[in-house]
Amino acid sequence: MTHVQGNTPLRVWADDEAEVVCLSVGPRPGEVVLGLTISGASRLLEAVRRELKVLDPAGYDCDTCLDTGHCPAARR
């Protein structure tokens, strides 16, 4: 597990040939590197946004479903 703090080294770059976004977390040597497809990167961003809202409950638009979309109001 890698803990990412405000001063944790991060590098992000796109590999056009492989069609992935690469994310390097932590200092070299020993950094963690993720290769994410476009859909994988989008899913990661969604998940991080969702979890950030858990840390800041005032950030929810819907108090019923906590912005998951799983409530009667979201189906209207």
Side-chain angles (χ1 to χ4, degrees):
M1 176 185 291
T2 297
H3 292 278
V4 179
Q5 300 175 345
N7 62 349
T8 301
L10 295 174
R11 288 186 315 119
V12 180
W13 68 97
D15 182 335
D16 293 335
E17 199 171 296
E19 296 184 349
V20 295
V21 173
C22 299
L23 168 64
S24 170
V25 180
R28 291 181 183 176
E31 79 267 32
V32 174
V33 179
L34 299 175
L36 303 161
T37 62
I38 293 170
S39 64
S42 295
R43 288 180 50 224
L44 176 62
L45 287 173
E46 268 182 45
V48 168
R49 284 187 187 113
R50 187 173 53 249
E51 295 305 315
L52 284 172
K53 286 185 178 185
V54 169
L55 296 175
D56 180 13
Y60 287 114
D61 295 325
C62 178
D63 292 331
T64 304
C65 73
L66 306 179
D67 295 345
T68 63
H70 300 293
C71 69
R75 293 189 200 114
R76 292 184 193 152

